[in-house]
Amino acid sequence: MSSEVAARRDAKKLVRSPSGLRMVPEHRAYGSPFGLEEPPWVPDKECPRCMQCDTKFDFLTRKHHCRRCGKCFCDKCCGQKVALRRMCFVDPVRQCAGCAPVSRREADFYDRQLKLLLSGATFLVTFENSEKPDTMVCRLSTSEGRGTDVEVARIAAVQMLTEGLPPGDTLSHTSLPASRPAAEGGNARAIGMTLQYTTPGAEGLTQLTLTAGEDADGSRRQATAWLAAMHKAAKLLYESRDQ
């Protein structure tokens, strides 16, 4: 990547919206693939009562808008201020009781799981035309990748490979976005995933299958954690595209 392109990708600007200050990419094309747009606010005249507890608004009971969903609530139902990284807010912003826990879980993804995805893990990688897998360190890339780096914005589909679900079944496919991470569901265990993604200059989708490999100390723990983090990343990606 040239220094000019890198500078454009990293450039930020401070903007003010009705919801608060946001630090956003100067060039929209370089926005986060996990980003969410600010929702339109429900007009004041359309919400005479709290949309959660049905309390009537008056001089003492003021109305507040959740910065994540845009709905109108009283202070009791919308009094939490929580970081909203996916909308690039500089400071924690007011969110309703339904949205605040979601934003907290996403903050954990940004603080822990995204770092793991960018650092990578060891996998047995099988490309669609390969007969046998190669051992590689695979990582997620937030820009145009090289080698086994997969640019997150180019991911089209993800399937988790799991084992340990029904007795006697050793392998099953779990499709996104409706599923839970296999590593979190009962005795199920994530052992790999299949990724389909677009490649610059190529038609159609490229597919590769990742199977958890052993790291330097003979453990698959890093690869299993990477798979769980990737499952979460894919769900956020679907949400961003479907909004």
Side-chain angles (χ1 to χ4, degrees):
M1 181 184 297
S2 70
S3 57
E4 181 180 349
V5 172
R8 287 171 58 87
R9 184 197 65 189
D10 296 335
K12 306 285 185 182
K13 62 181 179 181
L14 192 65
V15 299
R16 181 181 294 277
S17 74
S19 299
L21 287 174
R22 302 171 63 213
M23 184 66 73
V24 301
E26 197 166 286
H27 303 280
R28 189 177 180 85
Y30 296 109
S32 168
F34 303 119
L36 293 175
E37 296 292 335
E38 286 188 76
W41 284 11
V42 175
D44 287 350
K45 63 182 180 181
E46 295 181 11
C47 52
R49 295 176 177 272
C50 174
M51 301 179 76
Q52 177 65 38
C53 69
D54 205 38
T55 296
K56 185 177 181 179
F57 296 122
D58 55 28
F59 181 73
L60 296 178
T61 305
R62 298 182 58 191
K63 60 186 64 175
H64 302 278
H65 286 86
C66 173
R67 271 49 174 176
R68 186 183 179 102
C69 67
K71 295 180 180 179
C72 196
F73 304 92
C74 66
D75 183 69
K76 182 179 178 180
C77 296
C78 192
Q80 303 179 66
K81 290 193 175 182
V82 181
L84 186 45
R85 303 272 287 275
R86 296 181 72 186
M87 293 185 190
C88 303
F89 284 109
V90 174
D91 300 309
V93 292
R94 187 183 292 271
Q95 296 182 54
C96 68
C99 290
V102 177
S103 293
R104 289 194 181 97
R105 289 194 295 270
E106 291 174 352
D108 181 67
F109 167 78
Y110 277 94
D111 292 337
R112 298 194 304 112
Q113 295 172 309
L114 184 56
K115 293 178 181 178
L116 173 61
L117 290 172
L118 295 175
S119 63
T122 302
F123 289 93
L124 300 177
V125 180
T126 305
F127 291 91
E128 51 191 346
N129 296 322
S130 301
E131 295 184 0
K132 63 179 183 178
D134 295 314
T135 300
M136 301 180 180
V137 174
C138 298
R139 63 180 59 85
L140 206 61
S141 173
T142 55
S143 59
E144 189 168 331
R146 296 177 297 175
T148 52
D149 288 6
V150 176
E151 185 184 354
V152 64
R154 297 188 182 279
I155 295 175
V158 176
Q159 283 189 316
M160 297 295 295
L161 306 177
T162 62
E163 67 177 2
L165 285 173
D169 285 357
T170 58
L171 182 66
S172 63
H173 287 72
T174 305
S175 298
L176 292 176
S179 63
R180 296 172 56 203
E184 298 177 4
N187 295 322
R189 184 168 65 94
I191 61 170
M193 69 168 44
T194 297
L195 289 175
Q196 291 183 326
Y197 58 96
T198 58
T199 304
E203 295 183 2
L205 297 174
T206 300
Q207 177 172 300
L208 60 83
T209 299
L210 311 177
T211 304
E214 297 180 351
D215 54 27
D217 61 3
S219 171
R220 290 187 173 89
R221 186 176 303 170
Q222 179 83 355
T224 301
W226 194 95
L227 290 170
M230 184 61 203
H231 187 283
K232 177 64 175 178
K235 294 181 76 171
L236 297 183
L237 201 58
Y238 275 105
E239 290 174 5
S240 297
R241 292 172 179 174
D242 292 343
Q243 67 173 356

